[in-house]
């Protein structure tokens, strides 16, 4: 395909506005998949994605489309649709010249619509506004049009109205892609320059890279070099996704496709790196923002004997997800493990679910926390601290208060969109979470958009759940990084029967420390089942106990119910109790349910 007949584009939308459904329709309409596969949502492939109905991992597919007697190659690059995955969205957008901005005709513009619009706008991409679900009885096309005019400066005539579900107006979308989105620029005769914008791990073949070709060409047998890592590889296969891998002779400038080159790990297939010909090194393409981990948690095997298995499962999954920050960790109670950094809590959840599902590894996740910074005095003289500013990934490692000159906590700028009936509730929620309101704007007659700055710590665990519950599910929410701010921080330690449990240590704002400590102690009291002895739960700041609860001893004697006799029944009951225990992790001599580590933070 000559360049003027190629289009590279993405669909961006708020969760559930119909991105995957539209993608399926586009694939069908161009014959890339048969209508027999209907409603399968071909681009959503992971089990987690099917279960949760959210796209986590971007997928690419090429479509061949006849328009006015000319054949076009349209490369559709899928993007994940959740707040946590901004980073992946911007990565995918770097391979595009245009996007379809999809908005639900009933729900209208939502927080992620705004965030995604700006990602595309800042990347100077052509934006095609599309309103989906116009078949719905509750559709409000005029109101939604007004929102799109007000917020994004679209003209009402350029907004396409479609029903992806019914296939209405979808052809118009393809036409707009051809007519409005510019073809990629590139020079087939220039030295090779290609962007790796995604990678995933295939069991027997190593890493598969998705690449956007800028200049030159690439084919099997050719040697390529990664500009940043300086490593050289021999290409084993190139091709396009149609919608699954279809090998081709060559990939040319402007095209989007995949390659295999015996890449064994993500360190080798770094997303954002540029491929070139080793004999003709090129300037790297402007890099992406590096992934920024916002939430850290310890990951440990349920049992130390499972460590090697978990390690190999983790290595494989990390090949598929280079946005996870990895550090080796060990804990007195849980043994050897890792401290992993995630883009957000959903990202963490999805990652751990995949670890358990795809690799059959059973893991325990410790209480998540955000990365704090501290400046300390005299640190240069202490070997373990390089420089005098530290980032604290593990709350246990917060230096003693007398060493600290300044604490800082990470902040985010949040966007909330909601019907105006809930203004009061939202404002009090913002205050309750130490938020600072920056802006309040009507986007139509009924809906209001808030911008507020929050400490990340206040929103990672359950903010969105609360927001939804105070607004009867009508509010949407999105956030972006907003740097660090000075804060007065305190370490809270949790003790069980006098023994400090590192995995439950938290850092809290001084003004909230008592409340947080009380809540954690109460939550643990609810979560830990009574055991054969009394359990005393305490929260301490420094040497001072600030909260305490007791769990009375019980004797859970499963055999009490069998009146002597039946041995098989006895065995069955014992087995059942053993299974019940598996979901627990013993710390000292106390069994703690594995969910307790995360639940302690919920309000
Ligand atoms: P993420 O993968 O989480 O980003 O969601 P998505 O944007 O891909 O949404 P998806 O395509 O999964 O659609 C969400 C829901 O809306 C599904 O139940 C679809 O059947 C429904 N839906 C999509 N398009 C239409 C439409 O045109 N009309 C109606 N009535 N429902 C639609």
């Amino acid at each position: 395909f000559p360049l003027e007949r190629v289009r590279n584009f993405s669909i961006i939308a708020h969760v559930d506005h119909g991105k995957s459904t539209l993608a399926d329709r586009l694939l069908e309409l161009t014959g890339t998949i048969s209508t027999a596969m209907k409603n399968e949502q071909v681009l959503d492939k992971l089990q987690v994605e099917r279960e949760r109905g959210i796209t986590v991992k971007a997928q690419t597919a090429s479509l061949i489309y006849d328009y006015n007697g000319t054949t076009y190659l349209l490369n559709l690059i899928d993007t994940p649709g959740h707040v946590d995955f901004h980073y992946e969205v911007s990565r995918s957008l770097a391979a595009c010249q245009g996007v379809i901005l999809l908005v639900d005709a009933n729900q209208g513009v939502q927080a992620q619509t705004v965030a995604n619009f700006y990602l595309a706008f800042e990347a100077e991409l052509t934006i095609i506004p599309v309103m989906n679900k116009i078949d719905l009885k509750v559709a409000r096309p005029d109101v939604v049009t007004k929102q799109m005019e007000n917020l994004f400066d679209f003209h009402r005539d350029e907004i396409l109205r479609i029903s992806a579900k019914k296939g209405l107006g979808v052809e118009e979308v393809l036409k707009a892609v051809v007519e409005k989105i510019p073809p990629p620029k590139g020079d087939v005769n220039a030295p090779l320059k290609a962007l790796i914008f995604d990678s995933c791990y295939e069991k027997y073949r190593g890493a598969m890279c998705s690449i956007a070709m800028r200049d030159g060409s690439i084919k099997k047998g050719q040697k390529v070099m990664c500009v940043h890592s300086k490593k050289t590889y021999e290409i084993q296969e190139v091709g396009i996704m149609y919608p699954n891998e279809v090998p081709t002779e060559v990939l040319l400038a402007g095209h989007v496709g995949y390659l295999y080159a015996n890449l064994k790990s993500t360190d080798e297939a770094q997303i954002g790196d540029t491929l070139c010909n080793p004999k003709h090194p090129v300037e790297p393409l402007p890099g992406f923002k590096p992934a920024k981990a916002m939430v850290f948690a310890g990951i440990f095997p349920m049992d130390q004997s499972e460590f090697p298995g978990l390690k190999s499962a983790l290595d494989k999954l990390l090949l598929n997800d280079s946005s996870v920050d990895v550090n080796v960790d060990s804990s007195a109670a849980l043994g050897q493990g890792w401290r992993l950094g995630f883009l957000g809590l959903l990202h963490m959840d999805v990652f751990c679910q995949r670890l358990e599902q795809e690799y059959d590894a059973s893991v325990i996740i410790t209480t998540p926390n955000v990365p704090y910074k501290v400046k300390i005095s005299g640190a240069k003289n202490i070997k373990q601290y390089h420089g005098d500013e530290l980032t604290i990934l593990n709350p246990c490692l917060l230096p003693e208060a007398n060493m600290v000159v300044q604490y800082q906590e990470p902040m985010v700028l949040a966007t909330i969109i909601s019907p105006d009936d809930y203004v009061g509730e939202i404002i009090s929620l913002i205050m309750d979470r130490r938020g600072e309101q920056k802006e309040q704007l009507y986007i139509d007659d009924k809906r209001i958009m808030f911008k507020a700055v929050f400490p990340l710590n206040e929103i990672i665990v359950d903010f969105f759940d609360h927001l939804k519950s105070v607004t009867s599910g009508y509010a949407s929410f999105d956030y972006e990084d907003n740097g660090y701010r000075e804060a007065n921080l305190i370490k809270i330690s949790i003790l069980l029967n006098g023994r400090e449990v590192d995995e439950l240590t938290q850092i809290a704002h001084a003004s909230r420390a008592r409340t947080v400590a009380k809540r954690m102690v109460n939550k643990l009291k609810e979560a830990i089942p009574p055991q054969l002895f009394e359990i005393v739960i305490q929260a301490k700041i420094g040497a001072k106990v600030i909260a305490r609860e007791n769990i009375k001893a019980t004797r859970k004697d499963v055999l009490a119910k069998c009146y002597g006799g039946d041995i098989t029944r006895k065995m069955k009951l014992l087995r059942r109790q053993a299974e019940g225990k598996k979901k627990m992790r013993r710390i000292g001599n106390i069994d703690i349910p594995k969910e307790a580590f995360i639940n302690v933070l919920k309000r």
Side-chain angles (χ1 to χ4, degrees), residues 16-21 53-55 132-133 135-136 163-165:
D16 274 353
H17 283 198
K19 182 162 51 65
S20 308
T21 310
I54 52 156
T55 313
N132 187 30
K133 308 198 189 180
D135 61 294
L136 287 175
S163 163
K165 193 168 175 182

Side-chain angles (χ1 to χ4, degrees), residues 39-301:
N39 297 328
E40 292 267 312
Q41 305 211 342
V42 178
L43 294 187
D44 282 11
K45 285 179 185 160
L46 299 174
Q47 187 182 348
V48 181
E49 294 181 343
R50 285 193 302 267
E51 277 178 19
R52 300 186 176 221
I54 52 156
T55 313
V56 174
K57 190 83 185 141
Q59 301 280 352
T60 302
S62 297
L63 325 175
I64 293 171
Y65 178 56
D66 279 317
Y67 179 49
N68 287 343
T70 312
T71 311
Y72 291 85
L73 177 67
L74 313 182
N75 295 308
L76 165 58
I77 294 150
D78 199 13
T79 57
H82 190 275
V83 271
D84 281 4
F85 300 103
H86 273 184
Y87 162 74
E88 303 213 344
V89 174
S90 54
R91 251 172 33 185
S92 301
L93 295 187
C96 299
Q97 284 73 46
V99 295
I100 295 169
L101 180 73
L102 198 64
V103 182
D104 182 307
N106 169 244
Q107 289 191 7
V109 170
Q110 297 287 323
Q112 279 141 257
T113 320
V114 179
N116 285 330
F117 170 85
Y118 280 102
L119 288 178
F121 187 74
E122 279 159 20
E124 296 182 9
L125 303 181
T126 302
I127 302 174
I128 301 174
V130 177
M131 193 191 302
N132 187 30
K133 308 198 189 180
I134 51 157
D135 61 294
L136 287 175
K137 281 207 183 72
V138 288
R140 306 171 303 151
D142 294 332
V143 175
V144 176
T145 301
K146 191 121 226 125
Q147 295 173 352
M148 293 171 83
E149 285 177 328
N150 287 350
L151 274 168
F152 309 131
D153 239 4
F154 289 123
H155 195 271
R156 62 171 50 233
D157 304 327
E158 63 180 321
I159 303 171
L160 300 175
R161 294 184 177 192
I162 70 163
S163 163
K165 193 168 175 182
K166 301 243 153 96
L168 287 173
V170 178
E171 185 92 38
E172 301 306 315
V173 175
L174 282 174
K175 286 182 190 161
V177 167
V178 171
E179 282 171 5
K180 291 191 169 172
I181 297 177
K185 294 196 185 84
D187 181 354
V188 177
N189 299 313
L192 169 66
K193 197 179 206 181
L195 176 73
I196 304 179
F197 68 88
D198 198 8
S199 71
C200 71
Y201 185 81
E202 294 285 331
K203 232 178 194 161
Y204 303 106
R205 313 180 63 187
M208 179 186 87
C209 300
S210 296
I211 55 168
M213 297 285 298
R214 292 294 155 92
D215 292 322
S217 63
I218 200 165
K219 64 175 159 202
K220 187 177 167 175
Q222 185 179 335
K223 289 248 168 22
V224 293
M225 184 174 86
C226 292
V227 175
H228 286 290
S229 71
K230 299 272 184 294
K231 288 190 182 157
T232 305
Y233 306 94
E234 188 178 309
I235 302 288
Q236 293 170 314
E237 183 179 314
V238 296
I240 60 169
M241 303 298 285
Y242 189 65
N244 297 315
E245 295 163 26
V246 177
T248 56
E249 276 290 294
V250 62
L251 283 176
L252 299 175
H255 287 201
V256 171
Y258 71 88
L259 65 79
Y260 284 97
N262 245 334
L263 292 147
K264 295 239 158 48
S265 75
T266 32
D267 292 347
E268 300 187 77
Q270 285 238 352
I271 292 167
D273 206 342
T274 303
L275 289 177
C276 69
N277 181 330
K279 294 198 190 106
H280 296 279
V282 294
E283 280 292 300
L285 290 157
F288 301 93
K289 273 189 253 166
K292 196 164 180 185
M294 297 257 209
V295 180
F296 287 81
I299 306 278
F300 295 87

